[in-house]
């Protein structure tokens, strides 16, 4: 297998990268942290997806990006393959959105299917790939630190020996499963034999014949009793018919006697009701006479003739209704007039009260204003005193400028001038101080050289040097500069005092300006308050006048109210008179209404009299009909009494009792016989079922016997297969351990040129031991860091050679990938590592990819790849060394 091309977009530190790899040794070279290992991780990720990552899919996407792409093209077994993966961020996490493997045998899509197909092609999953072909950075000691059992599992998986163990386990599971089924079947066979023997001992067929004979006898007995029961039922029906006919006649006779008595009673009751109706008619006629007398009296009181008809009463009633409407309307008008006059009285009184209240409010407001005027005048006096105090304080601050170097109002410009002078002087002092320090250092260095007998300027011997006299001039110049620097510092202190005085003067000017502004504000307030006091005095006079006018108007309203009360009394008198007239009319109307009511009651009584007379005549007709029916019923009663036969009835009763007694006794007997027949039938069914079960048990025993023979044969086969897989795995492991030990010693001798160790031993349990020259064994953990690194690389390469020689023909090996293998090696052993790489190529490894920052490995490269990182964008780029040299 060979990696041909890896293409990246936004993968970790790579924005866009496209790298083609060749057969032979490819060295990916660059400084630490440039992204070399990320190229190998991209190849690993392209093959196995997320399972190749130590973290999550979010870690493979370049910071600040939302998606990444990885494409790996490789050759395997003579065929070209291309795997492409895309990862995008969705929500809070990254997900694989596209995964495609293009292979000679078709296209595979989806992360799971692609990973499964890659594992089948390479015959190793991601863990086996790391253990065999991919030595990752930091995992150089992985196989050394692994326990023998872990090392055994790794190597067995790589050499496909794990499948033999899987097959042996499956054979063992199959054997155990067959044993379980075999034991179960043997138990079933024993149980069936016991059941068959128990049933054969019971003579089921003889028992069946006995039960069927007894059942036939019971059937005959049941048939005889059922025939006798049917005859008894016929006799019972005949006697019941005779007795029912007798009972019906006797019942009819009793009903006729009862009907005769009822009709006689009903006729007598109806005659009594006719007498009651006659009395009711008499009472209604007497009531009519009483009502006629009362009506005549009411008509006389109303002034109408006693024999007047309804028309005269209606005319009088209509006249009274008209008079009542006129009087009621007059009363209503007077009540409205009374309400209006009463409202006028109330309005006048209310207006007088409102006016009096308003006058009082005006006077109260005038009093409050007088109090406010007194308070404002007192406040005016206080503010005039404050104004005088401000004038004194202004004069006091202005007196500060009497002995000042500037006039009042010029303090700010004076301060700015002094501050500018101070800045210039401070800058001059700073420059002078630098000049003094520089010159002093020069003088001190010259004096040091002079003390050593050397020229202070050129460093040569001082004899006859023309530069010695210049030192004295520098000393004099230094003294002048230091004196001038002291003068300038004194001048600066004086200038600071003047600036402080100028700042005090500027503060005094600001205070005077502030107090003048305060004085103007106080004067404005005094003027405004004085104007307000004058306006309040005018308002007091106006309120007094308004209050007097309101009191006068209130008196006028009270006089008007008195006048309206007198008018109200006159209206009340007129209302009483008209209401008396209205009561008289209502009394006469009530009498006429009573006359109408009496006429209606008289008519009702007359109608009741007619109705009662009709009812009395109707009841007389009903009694005539009842007397006719009474005669007919008496005749039918006589006929029934003559037809009654007592002897026949008694004979029928005796036969009925005998039939009932037989039927009562025969049913329990029949029930008992039927129960016995059902018991016999159930026993017959049970015996037949047992016979059927016996036949089924015999058939089942024959089937299980055949199955038992097959299971015993299958158990022997599974046991043989289990032993075969175990023996085969042990033999192959023995051969692989021997070959791996030989290859490990060959590789270790090549890379480790040291006389301290004689050989390395790998036992059948994959326990590793290093033997020193003196024969003493040594655990690999006791080797130094560099020795352990070489030991691990030797072991990895030996494993790779073993796999390559063992399965190369069926499954070409992937490239040998070494990520920073020189981390723990010194320069001497790095050279041995180069020889190791060269030896792996000579034994037929098609492609070796080495990632390293060590320059010594560059010489072993057939193809050199340079990786650099831009410190500004933190993005890595990858190019072949030939392209870099060409540029």
């Amino acid at each position: 297998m060979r990696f041909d091309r890896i293409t990246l977009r936004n993968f970790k530190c790579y924005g866009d990268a496209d790298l083609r790899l060749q057969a032979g040794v490819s060295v990916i070279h660059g400084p630490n942290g440039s992204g070399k290992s990320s190229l190998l991780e991209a190849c690993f990720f392209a093959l196995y997806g997320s399972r190749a990552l130590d973290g999550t899919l979010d870690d493979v996407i370049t910071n600040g990006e939302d998606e990444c792409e990885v494409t790996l093209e490789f050759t395997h077994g003579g065929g070209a393959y291309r795997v492409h993966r895309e990862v995008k961020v969705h929500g809070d996490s990254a997900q694989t959105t596209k995964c495609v493997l293009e292979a000679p045998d078709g296209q595979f899509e989806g992360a799971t299917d692609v990973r499964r197909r890659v594992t089948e092609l390479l015959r190793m999953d991601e863990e086996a790939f790391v253990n065999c072909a991919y030595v990752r950075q930091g995992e150089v000691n992985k196989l050394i630190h692994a326990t023998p059992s872990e090392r055994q599992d790794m190597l067995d998986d790589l050499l496909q020996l794990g499948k033999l163990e899987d097959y042996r386990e499956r054979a063992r599971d199959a054997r155990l499963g067959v044993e379980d089924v075999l034991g179960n079947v043997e138990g079933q066979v024993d149980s069936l034999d016991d059941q068959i023997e128990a049933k054969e001992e019971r003579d089921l067929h003889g028992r069946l014949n006995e039960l069927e004979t007894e059942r036939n006898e019971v059937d005959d007995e049941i048939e005889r009793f059922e025939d006798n029961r049917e005859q008894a039922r016929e006799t019972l029906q005949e006697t019941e018919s005779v007795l029912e006919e007798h009972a019906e006649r006797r019942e009819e006779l009793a009903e006729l006697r009862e009907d005769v008595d009822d009709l006689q009673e009903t006729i007598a009751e109806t005659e009594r009701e006719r007498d009651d109706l006659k009395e009711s008619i008499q009472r209604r006629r007497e009531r009519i006479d009483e009502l006629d007398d009362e009506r005549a009296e009411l008509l006389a009181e109303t002034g109408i003739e006693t024999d007047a008809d309804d028309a005269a009463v209606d005319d009088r009633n209509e006249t009274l209704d008209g008079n009542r409407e006129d009087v009621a309307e007059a009363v209503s008008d007077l009540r409205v007039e009374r309400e209006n006059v009463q409202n006028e009285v109330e309005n006048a009184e209310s207006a007088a009260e409102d006016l009096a209240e308003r006058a009082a409010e005006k006077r109260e407001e005038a009093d409050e204003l007088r109090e406010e005027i007194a308070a404002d005048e007192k406040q005016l006096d206080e503010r005039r005193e404050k104004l005088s105090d401000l004038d004194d304080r202004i004069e006091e601050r202005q007196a500060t400028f009497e002995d000042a170097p500037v006039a009042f109002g010029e303090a700010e410009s004076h301060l700015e001038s002094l501050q500018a002078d101070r800045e210039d002087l401070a800058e001059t002092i700073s420059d002078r101080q630098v000049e003094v320090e520089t010159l002093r250092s020069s003088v001190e260095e010259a004096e040091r050289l002079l003390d050593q007998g050397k020229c202070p300027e050129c460093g040569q011997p001082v004899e006859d040097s023309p530069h010695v006299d210049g030192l004295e001039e520098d000393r004099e110049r230094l003294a002048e500069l230091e004196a001038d620097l002291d003068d300038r510092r004194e001048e600066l202190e004086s200038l600071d005092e003047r600036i402080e005085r100028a700042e005090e003067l500027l503060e005094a000017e600001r205070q005077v300006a502030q107090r003048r502004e305060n004085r103007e504000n106080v004067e404005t307030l005094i003027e405004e308050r004085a104007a307000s006091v004058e306006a309040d005095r005018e308002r007091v006079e106006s309120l007094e006048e308004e209050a007097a006018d309101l009191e006068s108007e209130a008196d006028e309203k009270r006089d008007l109210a008195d006048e309206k009360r007198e008018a109200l009394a006159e209206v009340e008198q007129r209302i009483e008179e008209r209401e008396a007239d209205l009561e008289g009319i209502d009394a006469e109307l009530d009498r006429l209404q009573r006359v109408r009511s009496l006429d209606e009651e008289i008519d009702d009584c007359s109608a009741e009299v007619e109705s009662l007379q009709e009812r009395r005549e109707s009841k007389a007709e009903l009694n005539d009909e009842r007397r006719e029916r009474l005669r007919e019923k008496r005749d039918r009663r006589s006929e029934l009494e003559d037809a009654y036969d007592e002897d026949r009835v008694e004979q029928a009763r005796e036969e009925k009792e005998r039939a009932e007694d037989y039927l009562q006794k025969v049913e329990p007997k029949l029930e008992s016989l039927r129960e016995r027949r059902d018991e016999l039938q159930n026993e017959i069914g049970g015996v037949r079922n047992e016979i059927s079960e016996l036949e089924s048990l015999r058939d089942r025993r024959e089937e299980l016997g055949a199955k038992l023979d097959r299971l015993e044969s299958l158990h022997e086969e599974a046991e043989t297969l289990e032993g075969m897989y175990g023996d085969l795995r042990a033999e192959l492991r023995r051969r692989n351990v021997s070959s791996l030990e030989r290859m490990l010693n060959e590789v270790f001798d090549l890379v480790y040129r040291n006389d301290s160790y004689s050989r390395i031993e790998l036992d059948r349990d994959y326990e590793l031991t290093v033997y020193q020259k003196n024969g003493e064994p040594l655990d690999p953990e006791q080797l130094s860091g560099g020795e352990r690194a070489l030991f691990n690389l030797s072991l990895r390469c030996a494993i790779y050679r073993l796999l390559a020689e063992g399965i190369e023909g069926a499954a070409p090996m992937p490239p040998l990938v070494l990520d920073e293998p020189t981390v723990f090696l010194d320069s001497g052993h790095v050279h041995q590592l180069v020889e190791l790489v060269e030896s792996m190529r000579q034994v037929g490894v098609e492609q070796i990819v080495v990632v390293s920052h060590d320059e010594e490995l560059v010489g072993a490269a057939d193809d050199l790849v340079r990786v650099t990182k831009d410190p500004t964008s933190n993005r890595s780029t990858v190019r072949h060394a030939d392209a870099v040299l060409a540029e």
Side-chain angles (χ1 to χ4, degrees):
M1 177 183 178
R2 181 181 70 251
F3 292 159
D4 297 324
R5 183 181 183 182
I6 180 71
T7 305
L8 308 177
R9 187 172 72 85
N10 296 333
F11 183 87
K12 292 193 174 183
C13 57
Y14 290 93
D16 288 293
D18 189 355
L19 176 63
R20 293 182 180 273
L21 297 173
Q22 302 174 4
V25 178
S26 296
V27 175
I28 301 175
H29 184 267
N32 288 331
S34 59
K36 305 183 298 298
S37 298
S38 296
L39 289 173
L40 302 181
E41 293 171 0
C43 296
F44 194 26
F45 173 70
L47 290 173
Y48 294 102
S50 61
R51 293 191 178 181
L53 303 176
D54 293 330
T56 64
L57 288 174
D58 299 272
D59 300 332
V60 304
I61 301 178
T62 303
N63 291 335
E65 301 295 337
D66 296 330
E67 59 183 6
C68 82
E69 296 181 11
V70 177
T71 304
L72 176 65
E73 299 176 10
F74 61 93
T75 301
H76 180 79
Y81 294 81
R82 181 179 182 273
V83 59
H84 176 75
R85 294 180 185 268
E86 293 182 8
V87 179
K88 293 184 180 180
V89 176
H90 292 282
D92 296 334
S93 62
Q95 299 177 2
T96 300
T97 57
K98 184 177 181 181
C99 183
V100 179
L101 172 63
E102 298 175 2
D105 56 344
Q107 180 171 293
F108 301 86
E109 297 183 359
T112 302
D113 292 343
V114 170
R115 183 173 60 252
R116 183 184 299 113
R117 181 54 180 158
V118 169
T119 302
E120 293 172 354
L121 285 173
L122 303 184
R123 291 193 177 181
M124 59 181 68
D125 57 13
E126 66 280 357
E127 185 176 356
F129 188 87
V130 170
N131 292 332
C132 171
Y134 182 15
V135 182
R136 292 199 291 188
Q137 183 176 349
E139 296 183 357
V140 70
N141 294 324
K142 182 177 180 181
L143 286 175
I144 295 178
H145 292 317
T147 64
S149 61
E150 292 174 343
R151 196 177 299 119
Q152 175 180 315
D153 292 339
M154 293 180 192
L155 296 177
D156 283 353
D157 288 342
L158 291 172
L159 296 169
Q160 307 296 313
L161 298 184
K163 291 185 177 179
L164 292 176
E165 180 61 18
D166 291 340
Y167 295 156
R168 190 187 69 81
E169 290 291 335
R170 292 178 187 174
R172 184 180 66 84
D173 293 341
R175 176 179 58 78
L176 294 176
V178 171
E179 288 178 357
D180 292 340
V181 176
L182 185 61
N184 185 23
V185 171
E186 288 175 346
Q188 293 180 25
V189 169
D190 293 340
S191 176
L192 288 173
D193 289 340
D194 294 340
Q195 295 178 42
I196 292 171
E197 183 179 359
K199 290 184 180 294
E200 289 176 345
E201 291 177 352
R202 294 172 57 187
D203 189 16
L204 296 176
H205 291 285
R207 176 61 179 163
L208 179 62
N209 292 331
E210 294 175 359
L211 292 173
E212 288 178 345
T213 300
E214 185 178 356
R215 183 194 62 186
N216 293 333
E217 294 175 355
V218 171
D219 286 339
D220 294 341
E221 190 74 10
I222 290 173
E223 184 177 359
R224 183 173 63 82
F225 278 107
E226 286 178 347
D227 292 341
N228 295 336
R229 181 186 62 181
E230 188 62 28
Q231 293 178 0
R233 286 176 177 172
E234 292 176 358
T235 302
L236 180 62
Q237 289 178 355
E238 292 175 357
T239 56
E240 286 178 347
S241 175
V242 172
L243 292 174
E244 286 175 2
E245 182 181 358
H246 167 68
E248 289 174 358
R249 288 180 179 178
R250 186 173 58 186
E251 183 178 355
E252 184 181 359
L253 183 59
E255 289 177 356
L256 287 172
R257 290 169 180 167
E258 184 177 354
D259 290 344
V260 169
D261 294 339
D262 291 342
L263 283 173
Q264 290 175 347
E265 179 64 26
T266 302
I267 292 170
E269 180 64 26
T270 302
E271 288 299 327
R272 288 193 293 272
E273 290 177 358
R274 289 182 74 248
D275 294 338
D276 293 338
L277 288 172
K278 183 177 180 181
E279 293 177 359
S280 297
I281 291 170
Q282 184 62 32
R283 287 196 299 272
R284 296 292 189 282
R285 287 173 177 164
E286 291 175 356
R287 177 58 180 165
I288 290 172
D289 294 339
E290 293 174 359
L291 294 173
D292 286 337
D293 295 339
E294 184 179 356
R295 180 178 185 279
E297 292 176 359
L298 291 172
L299 290 175
E301 292 176 0
T302 309
I304 302 175
E305 296 294 333
T306 56
D307 57 349
D309 56 6
D310 292 340
V313 174
D314 292 339
D315 292 341
R316 179 59 178 167
N317 191 73
E318 184 176 354
T319 301
L320 290 174
D321 285 339
N323 293 339
R324 190 185 188 288
E325 289 179 1
D326 295 339
V327 174
E329 185 176 358
V331 170
S332 178
D333 293 341
L334 288 172
R335 287 173 178 168
V336 172
E337 183 179 355
R338 179 182 62 185
E339 185 175 356
N340 292 335
V341 174
Q342 191 171 3
N343 290 337
E344 291 176 357
V345 172
E346 292 176 355
N347 291 336
E349 290 177 346
S350 177
E353 291 177 1
D354 291 342
L355 291 170
E357 289 178 359
R358 290 171 60 194
E361 290 174 357
K362 297 290 184 182
R363 295 192 183 279
E364 184 178 355
E365 185 179 356
D367 293 338
E368 292 176 354
L369 285 174
R370 288 190 189 94
E371 294 177 357
E372 291 179 4
I373 289 170
D376 289 343
E377 288 177 345
K378 182 178 180 182
Q379 190 175 12
L380 282 172
D381 293 339
E382 294 175 354
R383 288 182 176 171
R384 291 188 182 99
E385 291 177 1
K386 183 177 181 181
L387 194 61
S388 176
D389 181 58
L390 286 172
D391 290 337
D392 294 340
R393 294 169 66 185
I394 290 171
E395 290 177 1
E396 179 184 350
R397 297 307 294 168
Q398 286 178 336
T400 308
F401 285 83
E402 291 179 358
D403 57 349
V406 293
F408 183 80
E410 300 177 357
E412 186 173 2
S413 60
H414 176 60
L415 176 61
E416 292 175 354
S417 176
L418 291 175
Q419 289 175 340
D421 293 342
R422 188 188 186 286
E423 291 178 0
D424 295 339
L425 182 58
E427 185 176 356
T428 301
I429 291 172
S430 177
D431 295 341
R432 189 70 70 203
Q433 189 171 357
V434 172
E435 187 177 356
V436 168
E437 292 294 333
T438 303
L439 187 57
R440 181 182 290 115
S441 298
S442 178
V443 169
E444 291 175 353
E445 178 64 19
E447 289 176 345
R448 185 182 63 78
L449 291 173
L450 191 60
D451 291 340
Q452 295 176 359
K454 297 180 181 180
C455 177
E457 292 188 14
C458 61
Q460 299 300 321
V462 74
E463 296 176 358
D464 299 327
S465 174
H467 302 294
V468 176
D469 296 336
L471 177 59
E472 188 61 31
E473 293 176 0
D474 289 341
R475 289 174 180 155
E476 293 176 358
R477 176 60 180 163
L478 178 60
E480 292 175 0
L481 289 175
E482 288 177 343
D484 182 62
L485 183 60
D486 292 338
D487 294 339
R488 302 242 180 221
R489 285 173 176 166
E490 291 177 359
E491 185 180 351
L492 182 62
E493 292 176 359
S494 174
L495 194 57
D496 286 338
E497 292 176 357
R498 293 170 62 191
I499 288 174
E500 184 176 356
R501 174 60 176 159
E503 289 175 347
E504 293 176 356
L505 293 175
L506 179 59
E507 181 62 26
E509 283 184 352
R510 290 174 179 167
Q511 290 179 0
V512 169
Q514 181 66 35
R515 287 167 185 169
R516 283 177 177 172
E517 184 179 355
N518 292 343
R519 188 182 185 287
E520 291 175 0
N521 292 336
V522 172
E523 286 180 342
T524 302
L525 290 174
I526 290 173
E527 292 174 359
E528 292 176 353
R529 183 61 64 186
S532 176
V533 168
E534 186 60 29
D536 289 344
R537 287 195 180 98
E538 294 176 357
R539 177 62 178 161
V540 168
E541 295 177 358
S542 174
L543 289 172
E544 291 290 350
E545 293 175 358
E546 291 176 1
D549 294 340
L550 290 171
E551 289 173 349
S552 175
E553 190 175 352
D555 293 338
E556 293 175 359
K557 292 294 182 180
R558 291 189 187 97
D559 295 340
L560 177 61
D562 293 338
E563 294 175 1
K564 293 299 180 180
R565 285 193 190 91
E566 294 176 359
L568 181 62
E570 294 177 0
V571 174
E572 291 284 356
Q573 180 64 30
R574 291 163 58 193
I575 289 173
E576 290 178 1
E577 293 174 357
R578 302 306 291 170
E579 286 179 346
D581 295 340
L582 189 61
E583 290 177 359
I585 293 173
D586 288 338
E588 191 170 351
L589 284 172
D590 289 340
R591 286 193 294 272
L592 291 176
Q593 183 64 31
R594 177 59 180 163
V595 169
R596 287 176 178 274
S597 177
L598 291 173
D599 289 341
E600 292 176 358
E601 190 174 355
I602 290 171
D603 293 339
D604 292 341
C605 288
S606 299
E608 289 179 1
V609 168
E610 292 178 1
S611 175
L612 291 172
Q613 287 177 344
E614 291 176 357
R615 289 174 59 194
R616 191 168 182 275
E617 293 173 358
S618 174
K619 289 181 180 293
E621 293 175 359
L622 286 173
N623 269 352
D624 293 341
E625 294 175 359
R626 289 168 182 156
R627 289 187 182 96
E628 180 63 25
R629 295 208 316 269
L630 179 60
R631 183 185 61 77
E632 293 175 355
K633 289 184 178 292
R634 284 172 176 168
D635 294 342
R636 177 59 180 166
R637 181 182 62 184
S638 299
E639 292 177 2
L640 291 175
E641 289 175 349
D642 295 339
Y644 185 74
D645 187 356
E646 186 66 32
D647 295 335
R648 184 184 177 194
V649 170
E650 185 62 28
Q651 183 182 357
R653 284 196 186 98
E654 292 176 357
E655 292 178 357
K656 178 176 180 295
E657 289 177 0
R658 288 194 297 270
E660 288 176 346
D661 182 62
Y662 181 79
L663 290 174
Q664 185 177 3
K665 292 178 180 179
V666 77
E667 286 300 334
K669 181 63 177 177
L670 284 172
E671 184 66 25
S672 175
L673 291 172
R674 290 191 188 100
E675 290 177 357
R676 179 55 184 163
R677 181 181 62 186
D678 294 340
E679 290 175 359
L680 292 172
Q681 189 64 39
N682 290 335
E683 290 183 13
I684 291 170
V687 172
R688 286 175 177 171
N689 289 337
E690 288 186 3
I691 292 173
S692 177
E693 289 176 1
L694 178 59
E695 296 300 325
S696 298
L697 289 173
R698 289 169 177 165
D699 294 340
R700 177 64 176 160
R701 173 64 179 81
E702 184 177 354
E703 292 175 0
L704 287 177
K707 183 176 181 181
L708 187 61
D709 295 338
R710 292 195 301 272
L711 287 172
E712 289 175 348
S713 175
L714 183 61
H715 179 266
E716 292 178 0
E717 293 175 1
E719 192 172 18
T720 302
L721 188 62
E722 179 185 0
M724 181 193 71
Y725 282 130
D727 295 341
L728 179 60
R729 180 169 179 264
E731 177 62 22
L732 290 176
R733 181 183 293 169
R734 185 189 62 78
R735 295 179 183 178
N736 289 328
V737 166
S738 177
S739 299
L740 182 61
E741 182 182 25
R742 174 180 55 80
M743 294 178 182
L744 175 59
N745 280 282
E746 291 176 359
V747 175
F748 191 70
D749 289 341
L750 175 66
V751 299
Y752 190 68
R753 304 294 178 84
N754 194 316
D755 294 335
S756 300
Y757 307 107
S758 61
R759 63 186 178 87
I760 299 174
E761 180 183 89
L762 178 65
D763 62 16
R764 297 183 61 180
D765 294 327
Y766 291 87
E767 185 73 47
L768 286 166
T769 306
V770 179
Y771 285 92
Q772 303 180 64
K773 288 295 185 179
N774 58 8
E776 291 294 326
L778 188 68
D779 190 280
E781 291 284 350
Q782 296 176 295
L783 299 175
S784 66
E787 290 173 338
R788 284 200 306 273
L790 289 174
F791 184 87
N792 180 73
L793 289 172
S794 301
L795 182 57
R796 288 295 188 97
C797 291
I799 293 172
Y800 190 94
R801 284 180 57 186
L802 178 64
L803 292 176
E805 293 178 4
I807 63 173
E808 178 65 27
M813 290 292 291
L816 178 61
V817 181
L818 306 177
D819 188 1
E820 293 289 359
T822 64
V823 172
F824 300 99
L825 302 181
D826 54 26
S827 60
H829 286 105
V830 171
H831 179 70
Q832 267 64 49
L833 177 61
V834 174
E835 293 186 4
L836 174 62
V837 171
E838 183 64 25
S839 69
M840 293 300 293
R841 183 166 60 174
Q842 291 176 0
V843 299
V845 179
E846 183 178 2
Q847 186 180 48
I848 302 174
V849 181
V850 182
V851 167
S852 179
H853 63 279
D854 197 306
E855 293 289 345
E856 192 169 350
L857 287 176
V858 173
D862 298 321
D863 182 25
L864 180 60
V865 177
R866 298 285 187 182
V867 178
T868 59
K869 178 177 283 189
D870 185 349
T872 303
S873 63
N874 205 29
R875 293 289 184 268
S876 298
T877 56
V878 56
R879 287 188 292 177
H880 286 273
D882 295 341
V884 176
L885 291 174
E887 291 181 5

